[in-house]
Amino acid sequence: MSKLTNLIFNGAKHYLTSPFGYRKSFDTKAGSTSNYHSGADYGTNGQKIPQYAVENGVVLSAGKDKYNGKYAWIKYPRLNVKMLHYHLDNVAVKAGQEVAKGTLIGNTGMTGRATGVHLHLSIVDLSNGKYLDPEAFDYEEAPAEAPKEEPKQKDGFLPAKGYFCEGDKGPEVHAMCKFFATNYWGYFGNSRETAKYKLLGKSGKGDLFGPYLKAWVADFQRRLGLKQDGCVGPITLKEMKDLGFRY
């Protein structure tokens, strides 16, 4: 079958049973079908196999129509089309839901005007509202996204004066407080809860370079043989980074 339906069925066996276009009407328990077939039908050997979204999109509508046929309309912005999955045995998505490649839409069924288990797939061009032949639809998958790089250590952590000292405020100070309170509380002989209370406070904000942080930085510097001024400049910052500090 096509690349598109292979994605919908995730490679499960299926076959074309009724092509797109005009055909002879036939009767079903739910009523007679139209002479114009606005999609293509794909049989699954009577198996109620899963159907999946082919890429990122959004569910326009889903549920049951007047013939008790269960369905889902999925809009795919990159392709500028919407696709109808019809005769579903069950619907696993709801209107407004965002989907991605591999999101379960539902299982193949024979609800509505159907005589056997199959997928009726319709594709509508959003530019002009015309139905397209699923078998002739030239589907090309979206280019694979480049792997995300690990966030790099940003430059300019230190303020313009070149160091942090008692009285300074901001998110950088919070990062330092959290670093000591979370990772090195035992190094200074305090319990974890005591460290968090002193450095981060009840609110957990901890964005003020207070006396507790100054004392802990000075002790940190003493143990590493640095100048014990209680301020964080380039040298102290480098030692912190070597021990896992990130911001």
Side-chain angles (χ1 to χ4, degrees):
M1 291 289 94
S2 69
K3 184 186 297 185
L4 180 63
T5 56
N6 276 327
L7 283 172
I8 289 174
F9 288 115
N10 193 29
K13 186 176 181 180
H14 62 286
Y15 49 92
L16 181 69
T17 59
S18 183
F20 175 84
Y22 289 95
R23 67 179 183 182
K24 183 179 180 180
S25 176
F26 57 90
D27 295 330
T28 73
K29 292 181 180 180
S32 298
T33 64
S34 170
N35 287 326
Y36 176 69
H37 195 211
S38 61
D41 291 346
Y42 298 91
T44 55
N45 288 316
Q47 303 299 307
K48 297 179 179 180
I49 61 176
Q51 297 175 26
Y52 302 96
V54 297
E55 60 178 66
N56 293 341
V58 62
V59 181
L60 296 178
S61 61
K64 186 186 296 185
D65 68 8
K66 64 182 180 180
Y67 302 105
N68 289 318
K70 296 179 182 179
Y71 71 94
W73 275 106
I74 314 295
K75 177 182 177 181
Y76 293 107
R78 185 185 73 88
L79 302 173
N80 196 37
V81 299
K82 62 179 181 179
M83 297 185 189
L84 170 65
H85 295 246
Y86 192 45
H87 303 305
L88 293 170
D89 183 68
N90 65 290
V91 182
V93 293
K94 59 184 179 180
Q97 177 181 336
E98 293 185 354
V99 298
K101 182 180 179 180
T103 299
L104 177 66
I105 294 173
N107 280 38
T108 310
M110 58 177 294
T111 58
R113 293 180 295 177
T115 58
V117 176
H118 71 284
L119 161 66
H120 169 93
L121 176 66
S122 285
I123 304 176
V124 176
D125 187 331
L126 293 175
S127 298
N128 54 29
K130 292 183 178 180
Y131 283 86
L132 307 175
D133 182 354
E135 284 292 288
F137 187 72
D138 187 18
Y139 177 74
E140 291 293 336
E141 293 188 59
E145 293 184 8
K148 294 182 179 179
E149 295 183 3
E150 291 295 320
K152 296 180 180 179
Q153 201 80 325
K154 67 178 183 180
D155 297 324
F157 176 80
L158 296 173
K161 64 185 178 183
Y163 60 90
F164 285 104
C165 61
E166 188 174 7
D168 288 335
K169 295 181 179 181
E172 295 86 357
V173 175
H174 169 79
M176 292 187 288
C177 287
K178 187 176 181 181
F179 170 71
F180 284 118
T182 304
N183 301 303
Y184 287 92
W185 54 270
Y187 186 79
F188 298 97
N190 295 290
S191 72
R192 187 186 299 272
E193 292 307 312
T194 298
K196 287 185 176 180
Y197 179 81
K198 287 183 176 181
L199 291 177
L200 297 174
K202 289 183 179 179
S203 68
K205 193 172 183 181
D207 61 351
L208 172 66
F209 199 125
Y212 288 118
L213 180 58
K214 180 180 180 180
W216 278 28
V217 170
D219 197 4
F220 180 78
Q221 292 168 331
R222 178 183 65 79
R223 292 169 186 259
L224 292 173
L226 307 176
K227 180 181 178 181
Q228 302 165 46
D229 58 5
C231 298
V232 177
I235 297 175
T236 302
L237 179 61
K238 180 182 182 304
E239 296 294 339
M240 290 168 61
K241 288 167 63 177
D242 288 347
L243 291 172
F245 176 61
R246 299 291 182 271
Y247 47 86

